[in-house]
Amino acid sequence: MQRLWHGTGKHSPLFAEGGRSLSSPSPPPPLPQLLGHGLKDVKGNLCEDHCILQHSNRICVITLAEAHPLLQNGKTIKSINYQISANCSRLQNKVSGKSKRGAQFLTELAPLCRISCSDGEEYTIYSCIRGRLMEVNENILDNPTILQEKPSTEGYIAVVLPKFEESKTITQGLLTQKEYEEVLLKRFNSTS
């Protein structure tokens, strides 16, 4: 678990169960500058944990948490689709200017992408936070294995900018690294 969440100095990593994601041509800032966050059971999808890495400048990077089924052994990603509906593609998000004009606004339960596996399973990755979609990671479209190999860096899903007044409340209701590890331990013990 240490490979995903690293905090230094005033930053303390937080985690939660649930899901959200982001993507862009360049990787997000290095982990020591980020706070990790996640949400519980998004839309009732137990164990499909997501991680929100929040930078001190309030930008949030949406990634998969290490316990997400896509990161477990044996899963092969067949495709990643940012086309959410007939009229909405996250790839069409075009942001410009200081006020981030043109950015798609996301709610907590807004889907970012759908990931299909070779075994027929499909996972929807949600935003988990309210804010403006800054970018999606187009690199994972051409090379989906980086999503599994480097989920918290080059394999991120999306980058979201929460409203200034809501940026502090993102951490409320989320789990610390220790709490997240306890949840994972309880899950493991209840299934064995």
Side-chain angles (χ1 to χ4, degrees):
M1 285 208 240
Q2 292 88 356
R3 72 180 180 81
L4 284 182
W5 297 281
H6 303 287
T8 59
K10 64 179 181 169
H11 302 291
S12 60
L14 299 174
F15 303 89
E17 303 170 74
R20 307 301 186 256
S21 69
L22 127 100
S23 64
S24 94
S26 58
L31 285 180
Q33 300 174 0
L34 298 169
L35 301 173
H37 305 277
L39 297 176
K40 268 189 160 180
D41 303 331
V42 175
K43 290 201 165 189
N45 298 327
L46 184 63
C47 300
E48 292 185 22
D49 301 346
H50 296 59
C51 180
I52 301 169
L53 302 172
Q54 185 179 34
H55 192 276
S56 58
N57 67 6
R58 83 177 203 266
I59 294 227
C60 296
V61 177
I62 311 300
T63 69
L64 297 178
E66 65 186 58
H68 194 284
L70 282 167
L71 302 182
Q72 303 310 308
N73 291 335
K75 289 285 185 185
T76 304
I77 297 175
K78 186 172 79 173
S79 67
I80 299 171
N81 191 351
Y82 284 109
Q83 186 74 38
I84 301 309
S85 68
N87 298 321
C88 180
S89 172
R90 301 298 183 208
L91 291 172
Q92 300 303 315
N93 190 58
K94 302 293 180 214
V95 181
S96 66
K98 185 176 178 181
S99 62
K100 309 305 179 204
R101 286 183 300 276
Q104 295 174 12
F105 187 78
L106 304 171
T107 64
E108 294 90 345
L109 297 177
L112 292 169
C113 67
R114 291 188 175 79
I115 302 173
S116 300
C117 295
S118 58
D119 63 3
E121 291 284 328
E122 183 174 280
Y123 300 93
T124 301
I125 309 302
Y126 296 94
S127 168
C128 297
I129 59 171
R130 289 169 36 95
R132 294 175 186 254
L133 179 64
M134 299 286 89
E135 61 181 67
V136 294
N137 187 359
E138 294 182 39
N139 293 332
I140 62 174
L141 296 174
D142 297 328
N143 186 5
T145 58
I146 63 171
L147 181 64
Q148 294 169 307
E149 294 167 358
K150 300 176 181 180
S152 59
T153 56
E154 288 94 350
Y156 72 102
I157 305 293
V159 175
V160 177
L161 178 64
K163 289 184 175 183
F164 180 77
E165 58 272 10
E166 295 177 6
S167 61
K168 297 285 186 210
T169 61
I170 289 172
T171 59
Q172 294 176 349
L174 300 177
L175 304 175
T176 64
Q177 182 173 2
K178 183 178 180 182
E179 291 169 336
Y180 183 68
E181 290 171 358
E182 289 170 4
V183 167
L184 293 179
L185 186 60
K186 286 178 189 175
R187 279 187 201 162
F188 178 76
N189 290 337
S190 68
T191 60
S192 50

